[in-house]
């Protein structure tokens, strides 16, 4: 869904630029350093957790913390696209913080034909996800919606993922319309 949001954002942004119009307000990239810090923290923890006992033992807390850092970084970006992505990251972070991992509905995985993911999660070989059950907190915010398109493979997504994808669409459309418009091309770097 994020891939589709980015592609549609580029298309809308190019269309707006071609018509010499801008879409929403001008996005500022320098505000994303906090979100980038959260993303780097998550990626380092994810890659290092299998070999570092401390990270493996505390991965769920690091995962939730990284999502909240990314959410704060997006919200302080002061752009509607950033804000919506930040809301999505915060929703995902809340579910991860309360459950230790992102809960996934088993029947949704079966519906999209992803028995491999179901097996890996069931066997506990995935750090980021767990199967949803009766004890899952905020279950409605977990990965439960099936999404497929011609662009990417079928996925099970959460409400937070939807916010992130729509926020990325708005941001990319806005950035593309400013970058390719006839306005001052250096205005985004100020």
């Amino acid at each position: 869904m994020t891939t589709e949001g980015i592609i549609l954002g580029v298309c809308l942004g190019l269309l707006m630029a071609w018509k010499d119009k801008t879409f929403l307000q001008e996005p500022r990239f320098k505000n994303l350093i906090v979100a980038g810090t959260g993303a780097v923290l998550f990626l380092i923890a994810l890659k290092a957790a299998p070999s570092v006992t401390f990270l493996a033992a505390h991965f769920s807390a690091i995962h939730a913390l990284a999502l909240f850092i990314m959410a704060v970084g997006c919200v302080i970006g002061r752009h509607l696209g950033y804000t919506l992505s930040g809301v999505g990251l915060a929703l995902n972070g809340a579910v991860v913080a309360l459950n230790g991992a992102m809960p996934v509905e088993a029947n949704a995985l079966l519906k999209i034909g992803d028995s491999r993911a179901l097996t890996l999660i069931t066997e506990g070989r995935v750090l980021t996800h767990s199967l949803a059950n009766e004890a899952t907190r905020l279950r409605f915010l977990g990965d439960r919606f099936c999404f497929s398109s011609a662009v990417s493979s079928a996925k099970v997504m959460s409400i937070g993922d939807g916010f992130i994808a729509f926020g990325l669409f708005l941001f990319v459309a806005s950035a593309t319309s400013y970058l390719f418009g006839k306005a001052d091309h250096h205005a985004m770097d100020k």
Side-chain angles (χ1 to χ4, degrees), residues 11 32 44 79 124:
C11 292
L32 294 179
I44 290 171
H79 186 277

Side-chain angles (χ1 to χ4, degrees), residues 52-165:
V52 179
T53 309
F54 175 82
L55 290 177
H58 295 60
F59 184 79
S60 61
I62 295 168
H63 184 187
L65 176 64
L67 287 169
F68 285 123
I69 290 170
M70 287 186 279
V72 168
C74 286
V75 170
I76 65 173
R78 297 187 196 155
H79 186 277
L80 181 60
Y82 294 158
T83 302
L84 290 174
S85 292
V87 168
L89 287 161
L91 290 173
N92 286 351
V95 175
V96 169
L98 292 174
N99 295 293
M102 176 57 85
V104 182
E105 297 291 337
N107 58 357
L109 287 172
L110 291 173
K111 189 174 182 179
I112 65 167
D114 198 349
S115 57
R116 180 179 179 273
L118 181 60
T119 301
L120 291 172
I121 293 169
T122 303
E123 293 173 356
R125 296 182 0 193
V126 178
L127 291 172
T128 56
H129 291 78
S130 63
L131 288 180
N133 57 38
E134 304 79 39
T136 301
R137 296 183 197 113
L138 298 178
R139 188 173 180 170
F140 69 99
L141 291 177
D143 285 347
R144 63 180 318 140
F145 303 102
C146 299
F147 179 81
S148 63
S149 75
V151 176
S152 62
S153 60
K155 295 176 179 67
V156 179
M157 305 188 75
S158 67
I159 292 171
D161 295 336
F163 272 93
I164 293 166

